[in-house]
Amino acid sequence: MTEFFSWALIKLEIIRTLRNKKFMFFSVIYPSALYLLFAASQNSTDKVKGTDLTFPALYMVSMASFGAITAVLMGNSEKIAKEREKGWVRQLRLTTLPGRGYVLAKIASAAVVTLPCIVVVFLVAAAVKGVRFEAWQWGALTVAIWAGSLCFAALGVAIGYIASGDAVRPITMIIYFGMSILGGLWMPSTVFPQWLQNIAEWLPTHAYAALGQAIELGNAPHGKDLAILVFYFLLFAGGAAWLYRKDTLKA
């Protein structure tokens, strides 16, 4: 019975997410528009300092990753905070659904949105800036960016339980833009001062972007980057489940 409730909630969350046209529009179109804004005027042959990638290729991964984070982090945090205020979470507590089932349902529904976001950025980069890779690289990039977004989906769930409905947006925006900028999604981290680069390389956003950049160069993702993402995923998911149980005890 518990597994039935878990899968039913996952299905419900996915349907609700796909029906939110405003959220889908900004999640899918926003990163592609940013890519066009910043990459359109950039040279397609010169390599970015400190990398072996051109700016259009490097920024394609950055904006696909940024868009995936937009979908899972912003969507989860605000949705959960509002559901808590409206009493929806309180109703779920009357069922046999465990904390992990609720967290997994939120992560799964948010992850569904990331796929069209990633694909649209790739299509824009290929059509407008002529970005070209082997078929296996396109597939590996899609899988790596999609899977990596689960880390930030878990963070969104945790934030949704920390913040109230009024405070959740500014808190999420600070974390969202702070990690994106410091992690090198808005600009290559190689242009940062060395002390800031040393900090950035331990952030989940930096490791997240590094997955795609390694694949673009024809390499396997570095073990350090994978380990950092797994660590943060376990930290965020564990924190989200703990906050869910803590919120249950308060009710």
Side-chain angles (χ1 to χ4, degrees):
M1 183 63 71
T2 298
E3 293 300 323
F4 170 78
F5 276 118
S6 298
W7 284 110
L9 182 60
I10 290 173
K11 181 179 179 181
L12 174 63
E13 290 296 337
I14 291 174
I15 293 174
R16 291 176 62 198
T17 300
L18 294 176
R19 285 180 176 176
N20 189 334
K21 296 180 180 179
K22 181 179 178 181
F23 176 71
M24 288 294 294
F25 174 82
F26 284 105
S27 297
V28 174
I29 302 301
Y30 179 48
S32 300
L34 285 177
Y35 179 84
L36 288 174
L37 177 65
F38 290 104
S41 61
Q42 296 293 324
N43 189 291
S44 298
T45 57
D46 293 340
K47 301 292 179 65
V48 177
K49 178 183 176 182
T51 75
D52 289 321
L53 295 169
T54 63
F55 185 86
L58 180 74
Y59 209 61
M60 180 188 76
V61 165
S62 294
M63 284 299 99
S65 302
F66 177 72
I69 294 174
T70 302
V72 299
L73 184 58
M74 298 294 292
N76 263 347
S77 61
E78 293 191 23
K79 185 187 299 183
I80 291 172
K82 291 177 181 178
E83 288 178 354
R84 290 171 59 212
E85 290 189 344
K86 293 179 179 179
W88 168 242
V89 176
R90 190 179 302 111
Q91 292 297 317
L92 289 177
R93 295 192 190 108
L94 300 178
T95 71
T96 59
L97 181 73
R100 66 179 183 278
Y102 178 82
V103 172
L104 289 175
K106 290 299 183 181
I107 293 174
S109 64
V112 169
V113 186
T114 64
L115 188 57
C117 167
I118 295 166
V119 171
V120 170
V121 172
F122 287 176
L123 290 174
V124 169
V128 178
K129 297 301 294 183
V131 176
R132 297 290 184 269
F133 291 107
E134 299 292 335
W136 73 266
Q137 288 174 296
W138 287 115
L141 283 169
T142 302
V143 172
I145 296 175
W146 177 82
S149 70
L150 299 179
C151 173
F152 303 96
L155 175 59
V157 177
I159 295 174
Y161 271 96
I162 292 174
S164 64
D166 293 331
V168 66
R169 176 165 292 189
I171 291 175
T172 305
M173 292 293 282
I174 291 172
I175 296 173
Y176 165 65
F177 282 111
M179 288 200 310
S180 297
I181 294 172
L182 293 177
L185 299 185
W186 282 79
M187 64 187 74
S189 59
T190 52
V191 304
F192 294 165
Q194 187 58 51
W195 66 270
L196 194 54
Q197 290 186 42
N198 295 337
I199 296 174
E201 69 178 17
W202 294 103
L203 295 177
T205 40
H206 185 276
Y208 186 35
L211 296 183
Q213 293 166 11
I215 294 170
E216 286 185 319
L217 292 170
N219 302 322
H222 296 128
K224 176 182 175 181
D225 296 320
L226 291 172
I228 288 174
L229 280 177
V230 170
F231 168 79
Y232 277 105
F233 173 75
L234 295 176
L235 177 66
F236 296 152
W242 179 78
L243 288 166
Y244 176 81
R245 291 193 297 269
K246 182 180 178 182
D247 196 64
T248 300
L249 295 174
K250 289 181 179 179

